[in-house]
Amino acid sequence: MKSDSVKLGIERAPHRSLFKSMGYTDEELSRPLIGIANSANEIIPGHIHLDKIVEAVKAGVYMAGGTPIEFGTIGVCDGIAMNHIGMKYSLGSRELIADSIEVMAIAHAFDAMVMVPNCDKIVPGMLMAAARLDIPTVVISGGPMLVGRLGEKEIDLISVFEAVGAVKSGKITEEQVLEIEDNACPTCGSCAGMFTANSMNCLTEAVGMGLPGNGTVPAVMAARIRLAKKAGMKIIDLLEKGITPRKILTEDAFINALTVDMALGCSTNTVLHLTALAREAEVDIDLDKINEISKKTPHLCSLSPGGKHHLEDLDRAGGICAIMKDLSDKGLIKTECMTVTGKTVGENIEPCVVQDRSVIRPTDDPYHKEGGLAALFGNIAQSGCVVKQSAVDPKMLSHEGPARVFDSEEEAVTAIMGKEIKKGDVIVIRYEGPRGGPGMREMLTPTSAIAGMGLDADVALITDGRFSGGTKGASIGHVSPEAMEGGLIAIVRDGDMISIDIPSKSINLKVSEEEIEKRRSEWKAPEPKITKGYMARYAQMVTSASTGAVFK
């Protein structure tokens, strides 16, 4: 066992002495040492209860004959960090989380790991560490929040963001906003729709790194505690069988994850995170693969913000296993892939059935014939960009309109709230990419304001930044190369016509080549927005969104 290097033999007496200073017994030291990465804190709704999840994991580890050893990791709440400088630090936290877990696991010679995340960057950060370390690992999330209710209406966090736009346009009062605010987030857990956190928790299950139920069992249910105990027990089984993340995270496993992604209509952020995870697992995944899989995968679930259902509905309807069983029956799932159950995908999903066809539509009667995401290419996005096509109004799938250009999210929000945006406009927000932001901020405030003001069926938004999974409408992010790298988005001017054709997977700036070259020769990169600390270093090391915004 790896832990022998810190506990076995006479020369390790000093090491054992340090363990014993913390109360560990010889019996505990004779067992496998299982590191538990706990991202609990008191600032993220999805993480405030994770100490209870970790206690259940520890119980499972002890029951199965291991010794659990807990340590902490950081985490950012994207909702609280939204629309101020804090959001610049969110994506960057993913790399810190991965690096810190690598440090802890290797420095202390853990034999295996259980990772306990729940929200946006914490889940992929932990998965990246698992792939990098390649020691037996199970991921157990904290589970989704229950949906809020206001009278007969179901509401969630996005309802609050959209209420801000609605009050600015005079559709509702400030008192009504307060009522929505008080009822939208009724429990702990990751926010209730198919936003980034829940998208990644569902895909953790689909890719084989989480037990069945990981993505959908609500945070407040006893079933979540039972699942955590099972995760603790299962890690000992994986250790004994020698099943490590790279035996699970194969190319076929990523195809499964992308297929489920398309069927669910997940957040566009999954593109960033699956690409980054694939890189750690030494598997090639690019934006072309997204279109290839999306073209043949039906969109089966319509979850908030694009639809009326929430994660608790998906769980009641059969969860990720039921979706994968339906997709498998159509030959769209690679059933031989290994998973953290110690069984194959096919064995896991064999007994699963859909319990509610209003939540999980049949594959021959989907919401859309193609999957939820699409990658677009063209002169303004030569390396690609991404849109949640399942959340776009049909009349906006093909659109051409004049550019309204802003060099920051704040400038765009001021214009939107000030009613300066007209129907047909294409809002362009640039210098918000991985390098230019730095940190590639999520832009839930402008997209929610557009929706709240009733413009989401008439206005497109493109950016080298990114969007929350809570975004709907013709919101096109991850434009690569980004403006800070001299991508074409840097030279767009107010009034330029931009053509968007989602069915044809194209996006283009309709300006002559001569004019483009003239503008390129005049362009000069602006000064960095952050010049010291972690994000200044991040901006120097980070790569394009098209490659997952990983470090060089």
Side-chain angles (χ1 to χ4, degrees):
M1 292 190 292
K2 287 183 180 292
S3 62
D4 287 348
S5 62
V6 296
K7 66 185 187 183
L8 194 66
I10 190 66
E11 68 277 9
R12 295 296 183 262
H15 303 65
R16 293 193 297 274
S17 178
L18 292 170
F19 276 104
K20 289 177 179 179
S21 77
M22 295 179 280
Y24 290 102
T25 64
D26 287 323
E27 289 77 11
E28 286 173 300
L29 294 180
S30 71
R31 300 171 178 175
L33 302 186
I34 311 300
I36 302 178
N38 181 6
S39 57
N41 58 50
E42 296 181 349
I43 194 64
I44 306 178
H47 290 230
I48 196 162
H49 66 303
L50 291 188
D51 280 343
K52 293 180 180 177
I53 301 294
V54 167
E55 286 304 314
V57 170
K58 288 180 179 178
V61 171
Y62 272 126
M63 283 190 282
T67 298
I69 301 177
E70 174 190 348
F71 64 91
T73 69
I74 65 167
V76 171
C77 176
D78 280 17
I80 294 173
M82 193 71 62
N83 196 32
H84 61 92
I85 192 172
M87 181 47 70
K88 294 178 183 288
Y89 288 75
S90 174
L91 183 59
S93 73
R94 184 187 71 180
E95 317 309 309
L96 285 175
I97 291 162
D99 289 352
S100 65
I101 292 173
E102 174 194 356
V103 167
M104 291 296 289
I106 295 177
H108 302 107
F110 294 137
D111 294 304
M113 297 278 298
V114 179
M115 299 184 177
V116 189
N118 207 24
C119 290
D120 296 48
K121 309 309 165 298
I122 301 93
V123 179
M126 288 194 177
L127 284 169
M128 289 164 66
R132 189 184 304 172
L133 290 164
D134 199 32
I135 60 176
T137 302
V138 176
V139 177
I140 170 67
S141 79
M145 185 183 292
L146 294 182
V147 68
R149 286 181 170 82
L150 193 55
E152 296 297 314
K153 186 180 180 183
E154 292 186 342
I155 58 175
D156 56 33
L157 178 65
I158 303 311
S159 308
V160 192
F161 275 96
E162 292 182 356
V164 175
V167 76
K168 292 286 185 180
S169 61
K171 293 181 178 180
I172 62 175
T173 66
E174 289 189 16
E175 289 75 18
Q176 287 173 302
V177 174
L178 179 60
E179 196 174 16
I180 294 169
E181 171 189 329
D182 286 345
N183 290 279
C185 300
T187 72
C188 63
S190 46
C191 297
M194 189 51 77
F195 317 138
T196 305
N198 290 326
S199 295
M200 287 307 302
N201 284 327
C202 288
L203 297 188
T204 297
E205 186 178 334
V207 83
M209 289 296 295
L211 296 174
N214 178 76
T216 59
V217 174
V220 295
M221 299 299 190
R224 177 60 59 176
I225 298 297
R226 295 197 299 271
L227 193 66
K229 289 179 181 177
K230 288 179 182 177
M233 290 186 279
K234 186 55 66 175
I235 192 61
I236 303 300
D237 182 48
L238 296 180
L239 180 60
E240 290 172 352
K241 292 178 177 176
I243 298 175
T244 64
R246 293 203 187 185
K247 292 179 180 177
I248 294 170
L249 295 171
T250 62
E251 183 176 354
D252 281 350
F254 281 99
I255 290 172
N256 283 346
L258 284 168
T259 300
V260 172
D261 194 339
M262 300 307 154
L264 287 173
C266 288
S267 164
T268 51
N269 282 319
T270 59
V271 176
L272 277 178
H273 301 323
L274 286 177
T275 304
L277 177 58
R279 180 178 180 272
E280 293 287 359
E282 299 182 1
V283 173
D284 289 329
I285 295 289
D286 58 26
L287 295 186
D288 288 319
K289 179 67 73 174
I290 290 168
N291 285 341
E292 176 188 326
I293 293 172
S294 183
K295 189 171 183 179
K296 61 186 180 183
T297 305
H299 175 219
L300 303 180
C301 298
S302 187
L303 299 157
S304 176
K308 66 179 182 178
H309 295 126
H310 292 83
L311 266 291
E312 63 191 75
D313 300 313
L314 179 58
D315 186 61
R316 175 176 46 80
I320 302 307
C321 281
I323 291 173
M324 294 183 79
K325 181 64 161 56
D326 268 11
L327 294 169
S328 173
D329 290 343
K330 291 291 184 181
L332 297 173
I333 292 293
K334 310 290 188 180
T335 58
E336 296 306 310
C337 293
M338 180 53 62
T339 73
V340 292
T341 65
K343 300 177 181 178
T344 65
V345 167
E347 291 172 309
N348 289 343
I349 66 176
E350 196 278 328
C352 299
V353 293
V354 174
Q355 301 291 341
D356 188 341
R357 281 296 180 191
S358 71
V359 178
I360 303 173
R361 295 275 282 267
T363 54
D364 57 1
D365 184 28
Y367 285 98
H368 302 94
K369 291 182 179 179
E370 289 192 12
L373 302 183
L376 312 183
F377 297 87
N379 64 358
I380 201 170
Q382 291 179 322
S383 298
C385 56
V386 183
V387 63
K388 191 172 183 174
Q389 63 180 352
S390 60
V392 178
D393 188 280
K395 73 178 185 180
M396 288 297 291
L397 290 172
S398 295
H399 178 76
E400 186 172 306
R404 293 295 311 279
V405 183
F406 305 95
D407 286 345
S408 71
E409 177 187 1
E410 288 83 357
E411 291 178 18
V413 169
T414 299
I416 294 165
M417 296 294 195
K419 301 182 181 179
E420 297 174 22
I421 302 300
K422 310 253 183 324
K423 288 185 177 182
D425 284 350
V426 177
I427 301 169
V428 177
I429 305 178
R430 62 192 179 193
Y431 297 110
E432 291 287 6
R435 285 182 57 194
M440 202 181 184
R441 285 191 286 183
E442 281 188 350
M443 299 191 193
L444 185 52
T445 299
T447 57
S448 296
I450 290 168
M453 298 176 83
L455 291 171
D456 55 305
D458 298 285
V459 169
L461 193 161
I462 71 170
T463 180
D464 54 6
R466 62 194 177 91
F467 296 115
S468 161
T471 296
K472 64 183 179 182
S475 301
I476 300 166
H478 308 195
V479 170
S480 301
E482 63 174 289
M484 199 66 171
E485 291 182 317
L488 201 65
I489 193 172
I491 62 170
V492 180
R493 295 179 181 174
D494 275 344
D496 288 347
M497 297 302 291
I498 294 177
S499 173
I500 300 163
D501 193 335
I502 294 173
S504 296
K505 309 298 185 285
S506 68
I507 180 168
N508 286 286
L509 175 65
K510 302 192 81 173
V511 172
S512 70
E513 284 299 320
E514 293 78 14
E515 178 64 16
I516 287 173
E517 289 309 310
K518 176 177 177 292
R519 293 184 192 181
R520 281 191 191 280
S521 67
E522 296 169 350
W523 176 80
K524 190 167 104 176
E527 291 297 311
K529 294 176 183 175
I530 296 178
T531 57
K532 60 184 179 181
Y534 173 63
M535 290 311 295
R537 299 195 303 275
Y538 179 91
Q540 294 172 351
M541 295 187 289
V542 72
T543 62
S544 167
S546 63
T547 56
V550 296
F551 282 168
K552 295 172 185 173

